Short mmCIF file of all heavy atoms in Angstrom, two decimals:
data_model
loop_
_atom_site.label_atom_id
_atom_site.label_comp_id
_atom_site.label_asym_id
_atom_site.label_seq_id
_atom_site.Cartn_x
_atom_site.Cartn_y
_atom_site.Cartn_z
N PRO A 1 -24.95 20.55 -4.88
CA PRO A 1 -25.24 21.96 -4.64
C PRO A 1 -24.71 22.50 -3.31
O PRO A 1 -24.24 23.62 -3.25
CB PRO A 1 -26.81 22.03 -4.67
CG PRO A 1 -27.17 20.82 -5.47
CD PRO A 1 -26.15 19.79 -5.21
N LEU A 2 -24.73 21.67 -2.22
CA LEU A 2 -24.26 22.17 -0.95
C LEU A 2 -22.79 21.94 -0.65
O LEU A 2 -22.21 22.70 0.09
CB LEU A 2 -25.16 21.53 0.18
CG LEU A 2 -26.64 21.88 0.16
CD1 LEU A 2 -27.34 21.13 1.28
CD2 LEU A 2 -26.83 23.38 0.30
N GLU A 3 -22.26 20.92 -1.27
CA GLU A 3 -20.89 20.54 -0.94
C GLU A 3 -20.27 19.79 -2.08
O GLU A 3 -20.87 18.90 -2.68
CB GLU A 3 -20.95 19.66 0.33
CG GLU A 3 -19.61 19.20 0.82
CD GLU A 3 -19.71 18.29 2.03
OE1 GLU A 3 -20.75 17.73 2.26
OE2 GLU A 3 -18.70 18.17 2.75
N LYS A 4 -18.99 20.10 -2.33
CA LYS A 4 -18.27 19.36 -3.31
C LYS A 4 -17.50 18.24 -2.64
O LYS A 4 -16.75 18.50 -1.69
CB LYS A 4 -17.29 20.29 -4.06
CG LYS A 4 -16.51 19.61 -5.17
CD LYS A 4 -15.68 20.64 -5.90
CE LYS A 4 -15.04 20.04 -7.13
NZ LYS A 4 -14.35 21.06 -7.92
N VAL A 5 -17.68 17.04 -3.07
CA VAL A 5 -17.04 15.87 -2.43
C VAL A 5 -16.05 15.23 -3.42
O VAL A 5 -16.39 14.99 -4.58
CB VAL A 5 -18.08 14.79 -2.02
CG1 VAL A 5 -17.42 13.57 -1.47
CG2 VAL A 5 -19.09 15.38 -1.05
N ILE A 6 -14.85 15.00 -2.92
CA ILE A 6 -13.84 14.33 -3.74
C ILE A 6 -13.38 13.09 -3.01
O ILE A 6 -13.06 13.14 -1.83
CB ILE A 6 -12.61 15.28 -3.97
CG1 ILE A 6 -13.09 16.49 -4.72
CG2 ILE A 6 -11.50 14.53 -4.70
CD1 ILE A 6 -11.96 17.56 -4.87
N GLY A 7 -13.46 11.97 -3.69
CA GLY A 7 -13.02 10.70 -3.13
C GLY A 7 -11.80 10.17 -3.85
O GLY A 7 -11.73 10.22 -5.10
N VAL A 8 -10.83 9.67 -3.13
CA VAL A 8 -9.59 9.18 -3.69
C VAL A 8 -9.38 7.71 -3.31
O VAL A 8 -9.70 7.33 -2.19
CB VAL A 8 -8.39 10.01 -3.22
CG1 VAL A 8 -7.10 9.49 -3.79
CG2 VAL A 8 -8.60 11.48 -3.55
N ASN A 9 -8.92 6.93 -4.27
CA ASN A 9 -8.70 5.51 -4.03
C ASN A 9 -7.44 5.08 -4.75
O ASN A 9 -7.24 5.40 -5.89
CB ASN A 9 -9.89 4.71 -4.54
CG ASN A 9 -9.87 3.26 -4.19
OD1 ASN A 9 -8.84 2.68 -4.04
ND2 ASN A 9 -11.02 2.65 -4.00
N SER A 10 -6.59 4.33 -4.05
CA SER A 10 -5.36 3.79 -4.67
C SER A 10 -5.42 2.31 -4.86
O SER A 10 -4.38 1.67 -5.13
CB SER A 10 -4.15 4.24 -3.89
OG SER A 10 -4.26 3.74 -2.58
N SER A 11 -6.60 1.71 -4.71
CA SER A 11 -6.77 0.28 -4.87
C SER A 11 -7.29 0.01 -6.32
O SER A 11 -8.46 -0.28 -6.53
CB SER A 11 -7.76 -0.26 -3.85
OG SER A 11 -8.04 -1.58 -4.09
N LEU A 12 -6.38 0.13 -7.28
CA LEU A 12 -6.72 0.12 -8.70
C LEU A 12 -6.03 -1.03 -9.35
O LEU A 12 -4.82 -1.22 -9.17
CB LEU A 12 -6.36 1.43 -9.33
CG LEU A 12 -6.53 1.61 -10.84
CD1 LEU A 12 -8.01 1.60 -11.17
CD2 LEU A 12 -5.90 2.92 -11.25
N ARG A 13 -6.77 -1.81 -10.18
CA ARG A 13 -6.20 -2.94 -10.98
C ARG A 13 -6.83 -2.92 -12.32
O ARG A 13 -8.02 -2.54 -12.45
CB ARG A 13 -6.47 -4.27 -10.32
CG ARG A 13 -5.88 -4.45 -8.96
CD ARG A 13 -6.31 -5.76 -8.36
NE ARG A 13 -6.07 -6.81 -9.36
CZ ARG A 13 -5.85 -8.08 -9.10
NH1 ARG A 13 -5.88 -8.48 -7.87
NH2 ARG A 13 -5.64 -8.93 -10.04
N GLY A 14 -6.14 -3.33 -13.33
CA GLY A 14 -6.74 -3.44 -14.64
C GLY A 14 -5.69 -3.45 -15.75
O GLY A 14 -4.50 -3.68 -15.52
N TRP A 15 -6.13 -3.11 -16.96
CA TRP A 15 -5.31 -3.11 -18.12
C TRP A 15 -5.87 -2.15 -19.21
O TRP A 15 -7.07 -1.85 -19.21
CB TRP A 15 -5.12 -4.50 -18.70
CG TRP A 15 -6.42 -5.14 -19.08
CD1 TRP A 15 -7.23 -5.92 -18.31
CD2 TRP A 15 -7.12 -5.08 -20.37
NE1 TRP A 15 -8.35 -6.31 -18.99
CE2 TRP A 15 -8.30 -5.81 -20.26
CE3 TRP A 15 -6.79 -4.51 -21.57
CZ2 TRP A 15 -9.16 -5.99 -21.33
CZ3 TRP A 15 -7.67 -4.64 -22.61
CH2 TRP A 15 -8.88 -5.40 -22.49
N VAL A 16 -4.96 -1.69 -20.04
CA VAL A 16 -5.30 -0.89 -21.21
C VAL A 16 -4.54 -1.43 -22.38
O VAL A 16 -3.37 -1.81 -22.33
CB VAL A 16 -4.87 0.60 -20.98
CG1 VAL A 16 -5.12 1.44 -22.21
CG2 VAL A 16 -5.61 1.19 -19.82
N ALA A 17 -5.21 -1.54 -23.57
CA ALA A 17 -4.61 -2.05 -24.76
C ALA A 17 -4.78 -1.03 -25.88
O ALA A 17 -5.85 -0.45 -26.04
CB ALA A 17 -5.11 -3.39 -25.15
N LEU A 18 -3.78 -0.86 -26.68
CA LEU A 18 -3.82 0.01 -27.86
C LEU A 18 -2.79 -0.39 -28.89
O LEU A 18 -1.89 -1.11 -28.63
CB LEU A 18 -3.62 1.50 -27.47
CG LEU A 18 -2.33 1.84 -26.78
CD1 LEU A 18 -1.25 2.29 -27.77
CD2 LEU A 18 -2.60 2.97 -25.78
N ASP A 19 -3.00 0.06 -30.12
CA ASP A 19 -2.09 -0.17 -31.18
C ASP A 19 -1.24 1.09 -31.38
O ASP A 19 -1.76 2.09 -31.90
CB ASP A 19 -2.83 -0.52 -32.49
CG ASP A 19 -1.87 -0.85 -33.63
OD1 ASP A 19 -0.67 -0.65 -33.47
OD2 ASP A 19 -2.38 -1.25 -34.68
N PRO A 20 -0.01 1.11 -30.91
CA PRO A 20 0.76 2.36 -30.97
C PRO A 20 1.04 2.86 -32.40
O PRO A 20 1.31 4.03 -32.62
CB PRO A 20 2.09 2.05 -30.28
CG PRO A 20 2.13 0.55 -30.21
CD PRO A 20 0.75 0.02 -30.35
N ASN A 21 0.95 1.94 -33.37
CA ASN A 21 1.14 2.37 -34.76
C ASN A 21 -0.07 2.86 -35.46
O ASN A 21 -0.02 3.38 -36.57
CB ASN A 21 1.74 1.20 -35.55
CG ASN A 21 3.14 0.80 -35.05
OD1 ASN A 21 3.91 1.68 -34.69
ND2 ASN A 21 3.38 -0.46 -34.94
N ASN A 22 -1.25 2.64 -34.81
CA ASN A 22 -2.54 3.07 -35.43
C ASN A 22 -3.49 3.43 -34.30
O ASN A 22 -4.34 2.65 -33.93
CB ASN A 22 -3.09 1.96 -36.30
CG ASN A 22 -4.26 2.42 -37.11
OD1 ASN A 22 -4.71 3.52 -36.99
ND2 ASN A 22 -4.76 1.49 -37.94
N LEU A 23 -3.35 4.63 -33.73
CA LEU A 23 -4.21 5.04 -32.62
C LEU A 23 -5.65 5.25 -33.05
O LEU A 23 -6.51 5.30 -32.17
CB LEU A 23 -3.63 6.30 -32.02
CG LEU A 23 -2.25 6.17 -31.33
CD1 LEU A 23 -1.76 7.50 -30.83
CD2 LEU A 23 -2.35 5.12 -30.24
N SER A 24 -5.97 5.35 -34.31
CA SER A 24 -7.31 5.50 -34.78
C SER A 24 -8.14 4.22 -34.52
O SER A 24 -9.36 4.28 -34.55
CB SER A 24 -7.38 5.82 -36.24
OG SER A 24 -6.86 4.77 -37.05
N LYS A 25 -7.49 3.10 -34.19
CA LYS A 25 -8.22 1.87 -33.83
C LYS A 25 -8.88 2.04 -32.46
O LYS A 25 -9.74 1.26 -32.08
CB LYS A 25 -7.29 0.69 -33.81
CG LYS A 25 -6.82 0.20 -35.13
CD LYS A 25 -5.96 -1.01 -35.01
CE LYS A 25 -5.52 -1.55 -36.31
NZ LYS A 25 -4.67 -2.75 -36.11
N GLY A 26 -8.44 3.04 -31.69
CA GLY A 26 -9.01 3.26 -30.39
C GLY A 26 -8.21 2.57 -29.27
O GLY A 26 -7.19 1.96 -29.48
N VAL A 27 -8.80 2.70 -28.08
CA VAL A 27 -8.18 2.14 -26.87
C VAL A 27 -9.19 1.27 -26.20
O VAL A 27 -10.37 1.67 -26.13
CB VAL A 27 -7.70 3.28 -25.92
CG1 VAL A 27 -7.15 2.65 -24.64
CG2 VAL A 27 -6.70 4.15 -26.58
N THR A 28 -8.81 0.14 -25.71
CA THR A 28 -9.71 -0.72 -24.98
C THR A 28 -9.07 -1.05 -23.64
O THR A 28 -7.86 -1.04 -23.51
CB THR A 28 -10.02 -1.99 -25.78
OG1 THR A 28 -11.01 -2.76 -25.04
CG2 THR A 28 -8.81 -2.87 -26.03
N GLY A 29 -9.88 -1.33 -22.61
CA GLY A 29 -9.35 -1.68 -21.35
C GLY A 29 -10.41 -2.03 -20.36
O GLY A 29 -11.59 -1.95 -20.62
N GLU A 30 -9.94 -2.37 -19.19
CA GLU A 30 -10.85 -2.75 -18.08
C GLU A 30 -10.12 -2.45 -16.77
O GLU A 30 -8.97 -2.75 -16.60
CB GLU A 30 -11.09 -4.27 -18.22
CG GLU A 30 -12.19 -4.78 -17.38
CD GLU A 30 -12.39 -6.25 -17.73
OE1 GLU A 30 -12.87 -6.55 -18.79
OE2 GLU A 30 -12.12 -7.07 -16.81
N PHE A 31 -10.90 -1.79 -15.85
CA PHE A 31 -10.32 -1.48 -14.54
C PHE A 31 -11.26 -1.92 -13.45
O PHE A 31 -12.54 -1.95 -13.60
CB PHE A 31 -10.09 0.08 -14.43
CG PHE A 31 -8.93 0.53 -15.21
CD1 PHE A 31 -9.07 1.06 -16.45
CD2 PHE A 31 -7.65 0.41 -14.64
CE1 PHE A 31 -7.94 1.49 -17.17
CE2 PHE A 31 -6.55 0.88 -15.37
CZ PHE A 31 -6.71 1.36 -16.63
N GLU A 32 -10.68 -2.26 -12.28
CA GLU A 32 -11.45 -2.67 -11.12
C GLU A 32 -10.99 -1.80 -9.96
O GLU A 32 -9.78 -1.70 -9.69
CB GLU A 32 -11.16 -4.13 -10.88
CG GLU A 32 -11.86 -4.69 -9.68
CD GLU A 32 -11.49 -6.18 -9.46
OE1 GLU A 32 -11.57 -6.92 -10.41
OE2 GLU A 32 -11.13 -6.46 -8.31
N VAL A 33 -11.97 -1.22 -9.28
CA VAL A 33 -11.66 -0.36 -8.13
C VAL A 33 -12.53 -0.88 -6.93
O VAL A 33 -13.70 -1.07 -7.10
CB VAL A 33 -12.05 1.11 -8.42
CG1 VAL A 33 -11.79 1.96 -7.22
CG2 VAL A 33 -11.29 1.61 -9.62
N ASP A 34 -11.87 -1.04 -5.79
CA ASP A 34 -12.59 -1.45 -4.57
C ASP A 34 -13.28 -0.26 -4.04
O ASP A 34 -12.68 0.67 -3.44
CB ASP A 34 -11.58 -2.02 -3.56
CG ASP A 34 -12.31 -2.60 -2.36
OD1 ASP A 34 -13.50 -2.50 -2.25
OD2 ASP A 34 -11.60 -3.16 -1.53
N MET A 35 -14.61 -0.19 -4.22
CA MET A 35 -15.41 0.99 -3.81
C MET A 35 -15.40 1.21 -2.29
O MET A 35 -15.67 2.27 -1.80
CB MET A 35 -16.82 0.83 -4.30
CG MET A 35 -16.97 0.71 -5.81
SD MET A 35 -16.42 2.22 -6.66
CE MET A 35 -17.81 3.25 -6.30
N ARG A 36 -15.08 0.15 -1.54
CA ARG A 36 -15.12 0.28 -0.03
C ARG A 36 -13.89 1.00 0.46
O ARG A 36 -13.86 1.36 1.63
CB ARG A 36 -15.13 -1.13 0.58
CG ARG A 36 -16.39 -1.94 0.18
CD ARG A 36 -16.20 -3.37 0.56
NE ARG A 36 -15.09 -3.92 -0.21
CZ ARG A 36 -14.64 -5.15 -0.09
NH1 ARG A 36 -15.14 -5.93 0.77
NH2 ARG A 36 -13.62 -5.55 -0.86
N THR A 37 -12.90 1.33 -0.41
CA THR A 37 -11.70 1.89 0.12
C THR A 37 -11.47 3.37 -0.34
O THR A 37 -10.40 3.92 -0.26
CB THR A 37 -10.46 1.09 -0.34
OG1 THR A 37 -10.45 1.01 -1.77
CG2 THR A 37 -10.50 -0.30 0.28
N PHE A 38 -12.55 3.99 -0.79
CA PHE A 38 -12.46 5.44 -1.17
C PHE A 38 -12.35 6.30 0.07
O PHE A 38 -13.01 6.00 1.11
CB PHE A 38 -13.72 5.88 -1.91
CG PHE A 38 -13.57 5.77 -3.38
CD1 PHE A 38 -14.15 4.70 -4.06
CD2 PHE A 38 -12.85 6.69 -4.12
CE1 PHE A 38 -14.04 4.58 -5.45
CE2 PHE A 38 -12.78 6.56 -5.50
CZ PHE A 38 -13.34 5.49 -6.14
N ASP A 39 -11.47 7.30 0.01
CA ASP A 39 -11.32 8.18 1.15
C ASP A 39 -11.81 9.54 0.72
O ASP A 39 -11.32 10.17 -0.20
CB ASP A 39 -9.77 8.31 1.54
CG ASP A 39 -9.58 9.24 2.74
OD1 ASP A 39 -10.58 9.48 3.48
OD2 ASP A 39 -8.46 9.67 2.91
N THR A 40 -12.87 10.02 1.44
CA THR A 40 -13.47 11.34 1.11
C THR A 40 -13.12 12.39 2.17
O THR A 40 -13.64 13.53 2.03
CB THR A 40 -15.02 11.17 1.04
OG1 THR A 40 -15.51 10.71 2.30
CG2 THR A 40 -15.42 10.23 -0.03
N GLY A 41 -12.38 12.03 3.13
CA GLY A 41 -12.00 12.98 4.17
C GLY A 41 -12.88 12.92 5.41
O GLY A 41 -12.60 13.58 6.39
N MET A 42 -14.00 12.16 5.37
CA MET A 42 -14.88 12.02 6.50
C MET A 42 -15.16 10.53 6.69
O MET A 42 -15.65 9.85 5.78
CB MET A 42 -16.21 12.74 6.28
CG MET A 42 -16.06 14.27 6.31
SD MET A 42 -17.68 15.10 6.09
CE MET A 42 -18.52 14.52 7.51
N LEU A 43 -14.94 10.03 7.90
CA LEU A 43 -15.12 8.58 8.16
C LEU A 43 -16.55 8.13 7.92
O LEU A 43 -16.78 7.08 7.30
CB LEU A 43 -14.71 8.26 9.59
CG LEU A 43 -13.20 8.36 9.89
CD1 LEU A 43 -12.88 8.16 11.36
CD2 LEU A 43 -12.44 7.38 9.00
N LEU A 44 -17.55 8.88 8.38
CA LEU A 44 -18.93 8.53 8.20
C LEU A 44 -19.31 8.44 6.76
O LEU A 44 -19.95 7.51 6.28
CB LEU A 44 -19.87 9.48 8.97
CG LEU A 44 -21.34 9.09 8.97
CD1 LEU A 44 -21.51 7.75 9.61
CD2 LEU A 44 -22.10 10.15 9.74
N ARG A 45 -18.86 9.39 5.98
CA ARG A 45 -19.17 9.40 4.54
C ARG A 45 -18.46 8.23 3.87
O ARG A 45 -19.01 7.60 2.93
CB ARG A 45 -18.73 10.73 3.92
CG ARG A 45 -19.10 10.82 2.48
CD ARG A 45 -18.93 12.15 1.83
NE ARG A 45 -17.84 12.95 2.38
CZ ARG A 45 -17.86 14.25 2.55
NH1 ARG A 45 -18.94 14.95 2.19
NH2 ARG A 45 -16.81 14.90 3.01
N ASN A 46 -17.25 7.93 4.28
CA ASN A 46 -16.56 6.76 3.71
C ASN A 46 -17.33 5.48 3.94
O ASN A 46 -17.34 4.61 3.06
CB ASN A 46 -15.15 6.64 4.32
CG ASN A 46 -14.20 7.73 3.96
OD1 ASN A 46 -14.48 8.52 3.04
ND2 ASN A 46 -13.08 7.84 4.64
N GLU A 47 -17.93 5.34 5.07
CA GLU A 47 -18.74 4.10 5.36
C GLU A 47 -19.94 4.02 4.44
O GLU A 47 -20.38 2.90 4.11
CB GLU A 47 -19.18 4.11 6.84
CG GLU A 47 -18.03 3.91 7.80
CD GLU A 47 -18.47 4.00 9.22
OE1 GLU A 47 -19.69 3.95 9.48
OE2 GLU A 47 -17.62 4.09 10.10
#
């Protein structure tokens, strides 16, 4: 309500799998993000 916060992180690892011939099967995947490395624009908030 008081402030909109946007955090950005480029420490991303993972995978996505799909069947390109049958997209109705869906998409599956797994990602890992280091939460300690988000940058929100304020050092104290990042900590």
